[in-house]
Amino acid sequence: MTPQLLDAASALTNPGSLLSPCDEILAPYDLEVSNSSAEGYRALGLANGICNAALAEFKPDYAVVSHVHVINGMGVTLGDSIIGLTALVAIKTQFPHIFFTIYRPAHAPGYVKSLYELAAPLLGSVIDLPVKLDELPYNGLRIDLGNHLFWPKFASLPMIDFFLDAMGIKADEIPAIDKRNHWLQELVLPRPQALEGDYVLLCPTASTPVRSIPAAMHKDFVEILWERYRLPVAGFGAIDHPLYADLTSHAPDTADFLAWIKHAAYLVAPDTAAIHIAAGFNIPTTAFFTTIAPDLRVRDYPRCKPVSLPVPELKGIQASNRESDMELVGRAYRALTIDTDFSGFA
């Protein structure tokens, strides 16, 4: 199949990776953030027998596969990466002989790159894109997960089911316990030192304002958590409250961020990576959702209480900082009332 030549706009939204004019596999994300021209780029597509579940279903026999090449997996955000790596670990749990090579966007944020460095010993190796197409063995299993945000199923499936499907695995073939990010417990992490004893962690900021807890309510959340738990309240970022500790300077890298969540007594956060990390360490959590149905993110997390805020106008929005959207989010948060035991809000 001849790869399709793309214009600049379609290259950035292509449901898969790209091929450069000199046959290098590239992440659309790398083109975007480096402001590089997309002239002459083609969709990698199903060229040379590469699998892409957005284009055609496939069902690999992992029992007879020894090396799996995962192209442009598993995104450039921390949350997506944790869930995507959970899918790989779930496959390796059933087929321990498999070695993964994960080809990553070169311009991914440093804190996301660090996660893959931590996870690599559990799975195989991690290589930055671009790579030459002919460097990937033709007789090996090569799976493209590039630009998964633009795959139709990403918006309709629970995220772990999406990544399993992208790897050619049916979700019901994987036990629920293997969908809870418990591989994080195998990482070597530092022990937090800034606080003594137990603490409650508040992580109010997501990757986009439309999914974040409004800044105007951060002080209220600190007060609520103190009243409920009588424990120090901590987080990452300034909140003007005498009972709050900003841990930013004590979390210089991803390993420290993971460790602070690992040792928390309780976590409160919106739809962001922190809730997936907490599930991996079995930390009780209250998670707030404004644009995504909770089942698409936390269905398999028994210690997470999801709270879905009634903002139907924002359903399915991936990112926004528009003033009108922020007003809807603020109004929904202001309408919350505390339930009696603060296992969440009602």
Side-chain angles (χ1 to χ4, degrees):
M1 182 179 294
T2 303
Q4 174 189 2
L5 194 65
L6 302 170
D7 59 34
S10 56
L12 298 182
T13 59
N14 176 59
S17 300
L18 302 176
L19 270 179
S20 76
C22 57
D23 280 346
E24 286 184 326
I25 299 174
L26 191 81
Y29 177 85
D30 285 339
L31 275 186
E32 182 177 11
V33 300
S34 62
N35 293 314
S36 300
S37 170
E39 184 177 355
Y41 280 84
R42 299 155 287 162
L44 177 61
L46 303 177
N48 292 33
I50 287 174
C51 301
N52 179 322
L55 305 178
E57 289 189 6
F58 64 98
K59 180 66 176 177
D61 185 355
Y62 282 109
V64 300
V65 173
S66 60
H67 194 168
V68 181
H69 300 267
V70 181
I71 303 166
N72 211 345
M74 304 281 188
V76 294
T77 67
L78 199 59
D80 288 12
S81 294
I82 289 168
I83 307 303
L85 290 170
T86 293
L88 298 190
V89 172
I91 294 170
K92 192 168 177 64
T93 297
Q94 292 195 9
F95 305 100
H97 62 281
I98 288 178
F99 183 95
F100 288 100
T101 297
I102 308 169
Y103 301 87
R104 295 279 305 144
H107 290 85
Y111 62 88
V112 178
K113 286 188 176 184
S114 295
L115 178 72
Y116 288 85
E117 293 168 1
L118 290 167
L122 305 179
L123 293 167
S125 63
V126 179
I127 296 175
D128 278 354
L129 293 170
V131 295
K132 286 282 191 180
L133 175 59
D134 60 11
E135 290 180 12
L136 276 65
Y138 186 80
N139 59 355
L141 178 58
R142 297 161 303 160
I143 302 174
D144 182 16
L145 276 80
N147 242 11
H148 66 260
L149 184 65
F150 297 99
W151 294 24
K153 288 184 178 180
F154 184 70
S156 61
L157 289 177
M159 193 183 294
I160 182 59
D161 294 0
F162 168 81
F163 279 113
L164 290 169
D165 182 80
M167 294 297 297
I169 295 282
K170 298 299 182 186
D172 60 6
E173 297 176 16
I174 302 298
I177 194 169
D178 290 339
K179 300 176 182 179
R180 295 172 187 164
N181 316 321
H182 286 168
W183 62 272
L184 292 170
Q185 298 177 19
E186 300 183 45
L187 303 182
V188 178
L189 301 175
R191 175 79 190 195
Q193 300 294 328
L195 296 176
E196 295 183 5
D198 291 335
Y199 55 91
V200 175
L201 201 57
L202 172 62
C203 295
T205 305
S207 58
T208 175
V210 77
R211 295 206 317 264
S212 299
I213 298 171
M217 299 198 66
H218 292 181
K219 290 173 65 174
D220 295 334
F221 270 65
V222 173
E223 190 68 33
I224 290 166
L225 290 169
W226 167 256
E227 290 294 333
R228 170 61 182 89
Y229 289 104
R230 296 291 169 172
L231 290 173
V233 181
F236 307 96
I239 298 177
D240 184 16
H241 194 290
L243 300 173
Y244 173 81
D246 183 0
L247 301 174
T248 302
S249 63
H250 301 285
D253 58 30
T254 302
D256 292 290
F257 179 65
L258 297 174
W260 279 109
I261 297 175
K262 174 182 179 179
H263 293 285
Y266 202 92
L267 171 74
V268 173
D271 176 20
T272 189
I275 61 177
H276 305 300
I277 298 167
F281 294 116
N282 297 315
I283 305 303
T285 299
T286 295
F288 296 92
F289 295 84
T290 52
T291 69
I292 302 292
D295 275 358
L296 297 183
R297 295 292 182 266
V298 298
R299 177 199 61 193
D300 300 299
Y301 303 166
R303 303 203 74 188
C304 178
K305 176 179 173 102
V307 179
S308 183
L309 278 70
V311 279
E313 303 92 335
L314 303 180
K315 181 179 179 181
I317 292 178
Q318 295 292 339
S320 174
N321 62 356
R322 293 190 308 176
E323 185 177 347
S324 58
D325 293 345
M326 297 305 96
E327 175 54 35
L328 290 171
V329 171
R331 189 183 308 158
Y333 271 100
R334 290 192 297 271
L336 289 170
T337 56
I338 310 167
D339 74 13
T340 53
D341 64 356
F342 196 73
S343 57
F345 287 71

